[in-house]
Amino acid sequence: MIGKNIIESEPIPGVEVKEILEEFSEDNELNYEQNITLNHLARFKRYSLEDSQEIIAKLQEEFNLRPKVAVHIVDLVPEDLADLRLIFAKEPSKIDNEEMKKILELLEQYDVVE
């Protein structure tokens, strides 16, 4: 990694990574890491790309969450408060139970793709 610098970093949802890898694999052969990543992403339930982007925007706007946290919520698809608490466990800004319940209500409005 000598001579390489990260210019910009932006968290993106797993469903977007999956779509990028699937498009790339149509014309090219995936390397080992890309293949493992694609297999991993295919195993878990997710929101559609459009729903993921909409949920992330709402989480950032309504709950003032960092992009990284919003992407984690979309990728992990928490089903209850315990799951959501684990996501917020290492966050410097604490969120109360009422806001967590509102986040879960927001997530329930969207269908999960198997």
Side-chain angles (χ1 to χ4, degrees):
M1 297 298 258
I2 296 174
K4 293 185 178 183
N5 293 325
I6 297 173
I7 297 170
E8 185 178 345
S9 176
E10 177 185 340
I12 60 172
V15 68
E16 189 172 343
V17 173
K18 183 180 176 201
E19 285 192 11
I20 291 169
L21 286 174
E22 287 173 342
E23 281 181 30
F24 182 77
S25 69
E26 290 174 4
D27 299 329
N28 305 294
E29 188 172 333
L30 298 178
N31 66 25
Y32 177 76
E33 290 84 4
Q34 292 167 334
N35 210 359
I36 294 292
T37 302
L38 185 58
N39 288 337
H40 175 79
L41 292 171
R43 290 185 187 169
F44 299 99
K45 59 185 181 179
R46 306 231 178 258
Y47 297 105
S48 69
L49 180 58
E50 297 79 22
D51 286 350
S52 294
Q53 291 170 338
E54 191 174 319
I55 294 169
I56 290 169
K58 286 184 179 181
L59 288 171
Q60 289 177 315
E61 182 181 308
E62 294 177 23
F63 300 98
N64 200 26
L65 297 179
R66 295 182 313 142
K68 181 180 175 182
V69 177
V71 169
H72 280 308
I73 290 171
V74 167
D75 281 346
L76 297 176
V77 190
E79 296 179 354
D80 55 21
L81 285 175
D83 293 344
L84 205 51
R85 280 191 195 103
L86 290 173
I87 296 170
F88 287 108
K90 291 188 175 184
E91 277 303 297
S93 60
K94 298 300 174 195
I95 190 164
D96 62 7
N97 280 346
E98 288 304 314
E99 286 185 322
M100 284 191 204
K101 288 178 185 177
K102 289 178 184 177
I103 290 172
L104 289 174
E105 289 171 7
L106 171 70
L107 296 177
E108 288 174 3
Q109 296 173 7
Y110 297 90
D111 293 327
V112 176
V113 179
E114 295 292 327

